[in-house]
Amino acid sequence: MENTRILLEQNEIPTHWYNIVADLKTPPAPPLGPDGQPATPEQMGVIFPGAILEQEMSDQRWIPIPQEVREIYRLWRPAPLVRAVRLEQALGTTAKIYYKYEGVSPAGSHKPNSAVPQAFYNKQAGIKRLTTETGAGQWGSSISFAGQMFGLPVRVYMVKVSYDQKPYRRLMMQTWGAEVFASPSELTQTGRAALAENPDNQGSLGLAISEAVEEAASRPDTNYTLGSVLNHVLLHQTIVGLEAKKQFDKIGEYPDVVIGPCGGGSSFGGIAFPFLADKAAGDKRAENLRCLAVEPTSCPTLTKGAYAYDFGDASGFTPLMKMYTLGHDFMPPGIHAGGLRYHGASPLVSQVVHEGLVEPVAVSQLATFEAGVQFARAEGIIPAPESCHAIRAAIDEALKAKVTGEPKVILFNLTGHGHFDMSSYERFFSGKLEDYDYPAEAVARSLEHLPKVG
Amino acid sequence: MENTRILLEQNEIPTHWYNIVADLKTPPAPPLGPDGQPATPEQMGVIFPGAILEQEMSDQRWIPIPQEVREIYRLWRPAPLVRAVRLEQALGTTAKIYYKYEGVSPAGSHKPNSAVPQAFYNKQAGIKRLTTETGAGQWGSSISFAGQMFGLPVRVYMVKVSYDQKPYRRLMMQTWGAEVFASPSELTQTGRAALAENPDNQGSLGLAISEAVEEAASRPDTNYTLGSVLNHVLLHQTIVGLEAKKQFDKIGEYPDVVIGPCGGGSSFGGIAFPFLADKAAGDKRAENLRCLAVEPTSCPTLTKGAYAYDFGDASGFTPLMKMYTLGHDFMPPGIHAGGLRYHGASPLVSQVVHEGLVEPVAVSQLATFEAGVQFARAEGIIPAPESCHAIRAAIDEALKAKVTGEPKVILFNLTGHGHFDMSSYERFFSGKLEDYDYPAEAVARSLEHLPKVG
């Protein structure tokens, strides 16, 4: 029987994360403070510990993973690299399709890869509590889990509509000991103001971010955590691609195409950056490597946005970041891949797209669920809606290879399972989901509100 | 870094299941037909294919696993054996605690271990459709998945109250292509009669079984599948213990105590029987081995039931089986480990309990959830309520070892994750769950209705 799951032992968990900053053609544009000047470490130190700030600004290629973090990683890592033989057969393709399965983590996605080190560094810095926001609930549950691992209490501001509609995600966080509040809440000035204006406010991710940041900024013993976009988050996620490379080495293969879903950018960067490292190092195998960052047509940041300085949040609280953006007041429609509904994209992913190292791809909602169902029926695992974007692109690449007869090797990041997203599948099966291409005119309008810089 | 996950490669998936019948002191008492005579293969052949019937009646010790079944098993097997180091530390015990994690299957539990071969043998026999019933949804989703793997349509009769309250389990089955009907349904005579009597009938497991069996018995191209109790199901589940033994061999350990939750009996038998095989073979390591079958105090089949012939279902449709039973009209209260609410227990598990090879243990509901939450906070994984019963007993054993200072090796079957059971955790956290010891008088009353035999 042919081996279709490539496993690593726990002592093969990588000892270092890979920092792509060391290999970029030009240094990343710095985040800018309210005065238009580069944000200082002091400004950001209010909500992040020193070790995280150092990583955020580092240009070192390899950054050691603390032993304490590896000891938590081993609860589920190394994650398997799996050859999707039954999917290949269903497609009749000449391609080999591999997926890196991150749904094996306790929280069910790749998010704990960064939640664990974030909790660790904060604990180490003497911080007594973490705050964060969560929409769909993936990040909130991951930081709740990670906080529990280091005995660090966690407060999650959960967008009210999700709080009410996704009680199971909330319960998951509570099982790991976190306090979960519907946002807007009475706990912060931002929340109280929003409720005073409208007691029925259903919340938004922007508002929840503001509440979590406000609490962290106002208490010296409390820090804020973020699950995507920032450099240190993408750094932590490179564990995904680094493990995949070791696994490919074991079987003497190398991918021709590497695919990740792309919202804030951490799942794409996590799988793709370590392969881009090979390209930067002149590795022959990576010479013709293609990397696809897959986003929804309803939130087409990389394919239709501008590459410009913009706020990371809706209300203009964060520093300005140079990135692909649809404008910080862009309101994405209520599509069912909550994790991909972000107006911007990680500055690092934006830069490699801008430099032409990565191809952005936009896929429509129905086609992603069709791909997800096809995958579940072939391979068993029911994927998260975010992951379905990568599956769609992987299937499309495999079908192209079928036409040309090429023996392509395709790798994608199966970022999580869909156990807490079955209501999205329900909407798909019952015909309630629709395709939605965000219109170019609307993008143009929200881009008019980009902040003026310099 | 010490290795805490003991992995096997796919080619180490066992090639044979273990049949404990070969090692019993006396041959199992045969199932009896309506006439009080041993049920004939012809009678049972109406709803089962020949290969399954052969396994049901076999006394061969080793039964080969078809290659086609191993090829599906490898989608998630071998399942990891994990040392719960963080739980040990939290308990301060001198014991080593290992768990075999069956939640890695696509359906999230051990149930596909039998669903896959059942689908395979039916497909091979030319059967065109499978029927089954489901309550909590674990078995229904497993057979839906397995049917899809062999292109065999599946119809699931889902107890109406679960159908309404557990839409995500239903959607999981639909994602794998199954048809799911609320039971009672209009599709069977049984269902129509129940609805005629009471249009608001919320259904019961017994009624759903009757509907699924009726459809299978009335169509020659349709067969019925059952997820526990029967010999062939326990046979298939021995893959769990057989893998665990290989994994212990790798690290040169052997358990002193083997623990499984026990409802119908397949999760307990699956992990324990292969270790009992060592005991039967005179293996020195197994000389003092203890096996604990853990049931809820609210459904105390093994600890308070009678060892007698009884029906497998509520309405007296099935053959009579010799087993521990609380009486077939026993109505368990609505506890939140749906998989353990069965009035009887597998005849094979019953026999090894009766022969004194296995210790039955009953644990109360609140104590099991406390154990489950403690486990989740130490090890990450949120366990299914059924699995919490085994965790409770494992923790209790570890605490005993702490007192005596013994370096006990404890193994338990972590049969599944709780991703679809978070509403039970909600009831636990909100104080809505209560302990309930089924009263001895009530057991005595329902035992008065045991069928007369001979």
Side-chain angles (χ1 to χ4, degrees), chain A residues 248 253-258 275 285-286 288-290 409-411:
Chain A
F248 275 118
E253 292 258 30
Y254 197 88
D256 299 297
V257 190
V258 176
F275 290 95
R285 298 171 305 172
N288 298 310
L289 174 73
R290 293 170 58 219
V409 176
I410 298 166
L411 166 67

Side-chain angles (χ1 to χ4, degrees), chain A residues 2-5 10 72 74-75 86 148-149 171 174-177 376-377 380 417 419 422 426 429, chain B residues 2-5 10 72 74-75 86 148-149 171 174-177 376-377 380 417 419 422 426 429:
Chain A
E2 184 192 12
N3 190 31
T4 58
R5 288 168 77 82
Q10 287 173 322
I72 302 300
R74 74 178 167 170
L75 290 177
R86 289 176 48 91
Q148 177 61 241
M149 292 301 106
L171 280 157
Q174 289 168 337
T175 302
W176 285 316
R377 292 184 180 177
H417 60 64
H419 299 170
M422 297 310 295
E426 170 143 62
F429 285 127
Chain B
E2 186 191 14
N3 190 31
T4 58
R5 288 168 78 81
Q10 287 173 323
I72 303 300
R74 74 176 166 172
L75 290 177
R86 290 177 47 91
Q148 177 62 240
M149 293 300 105
L171 280 157
Q174 289 168 336
T175 302
W176 286 316
R377 292 184 180 177
H417 60 64
H419 299 172
M422 296 311 295
E426 169 143 62
F429 286 126

Side-chain angles (χ1 to χ4, degrees), chain A residues 39-48 53 57:
Chain A
T40 64
E42 290 69 32
Q43 284 169 332
M44 297 174 75
V46 177
I47 54 171
F48 293 123
L53 279 181
M57 305 196 171

Side-chain angles (χ1 to χ4, degrees), chain A residues 360-376:
Chain A
V361 177
V363 294
S364 66
Q365 185 160 243
L366 293 179
T368 61
F369 275 97
E370 279 160 19
V373 171
Q374 183 167 28
F375 182 83

